[in-house]
Structures are given as structure tokens and as C-alpha cells.
Amino acid sequence: MKNTLIHLTSSPYSSLACKEGLDLALVLATFEQKVDLCLSDAALSLLTKHQQPAPEQGKNLHKLLDGLEFYDIENVFIESSSLEPDPATQWPGITSLDSAAWSELFSSYQQVFRF
């Protein structure tokens, strides 16, 4: 059984939830905990390149995705039916799962955090 899955569902800029989920992933990985991410619903907008959030929305969270490899966070999952990957406009490091694999994903982790 795998360690920790962080499931991001909140919009990156409508609240702090998405940022807090990413922060938790980075903290756990800093302490050598195995962490994977999955995104669904409004959090899928995090994958879009060239974001320019307003100052009151905080930092550009999309930029954190490129740093995940330095924390050994290698898996970022989405459900294949929810988003068609477009290399021109989306971050390329995602793994699309079919509906069956997506449903199975959550039961294969010891801990699942949802933000």
C-alpha cells in the first residue's frame, strides 16, 4: 500500500485550499514521505500554462508544478474523462487514468487528504 495521496479539487485561486494541499505535499516530501497528487473538478485549472492571477489571488501556483520533481513527487493523476491533455496549454507531467483506475486509486493509499 502506498503512503499518501493528496486530492486537489478546489480552484487554485478562489480559496487557500489548493495552495494548502500543495504545501502539505511539499512538506511531506521534504521529510522523505512518498506523496502522489491527483486533481479533479476546479483544481484542473491548476494545470493550465501562462496563468496570471491577480495580486489578491496570491502567487501563481502553476509554477510549483515544475518543482515537484525536486521533491521526488513523480505522480500527478487526473481522470482521463475529465480533461484532454493539450501540450500547448497544459503542464505535461500528468498521468491520465481511466474511470476504473481512478476509482481504484483512492483505495491504494494509507492516507488520502482532500483539498
Side-chain angles (χ1 to χ4, degrees):
M1 186 166 263
K2 300 174 186 174
N3 237 9
T4 304
L5 177 69
I6 297 181
H7 183 193
L8 303 176
T9 61
S10 302
S11 171
Y13 305 110
S14 65
S15 72
L16 292 175
C18 193
K19 182 177 182 331
E20 289 172 349
L22 288 169
D23 287 346
L24 177 60
L26 298 178
V27 167
L28 290 172
T30 297
F31 289 100
E32 298 182 10
Q33 300 295 309
K34 179 71 175 133
V35 178
D36 292 334
L37 296 172
C38 69
L39 286 77
S40 64
D41 302 326
L44 291 170
S45 64
L46 179 66
L47 300 173
T48 305
K49 293 180 183 178
H50 311 297
Q51 296 179 15
Q52 295 180 341
E56 62 271 6
Q57 292 175 316
K59 294 183 177 184
N60 184 341
L61 298 180
H62 176 81
K63 291 181 179 180
L64 288 175
L65 297 176
D66 289 332
L68 294 178
E69 67 181 303
F70 298 113
Y71 291 87
D72 294 327
I73 299 175
E74 300 169 352
N75 297 313
V76 179
F77 301 109
I78 64 164
E79 186 175 10
S80 59
S81 64
S82 63
L83 183 68
E84 288 297 320
D86 178 3
T89 61
Q90 292 174 353
W91 185 68
I94 54 175
T95 301
S96 294
L97 301 176
D98 63 26
S99 294
W102 179 260
S103 297
E104 209 172 283
L105 177 70
F106 298 95
S107 62
S108 63
Y109 287 85
Q110 291 177 346
Q111 302 167 350
V112 177
F113 295 97
R114 183 173 179 217
F115 291 89

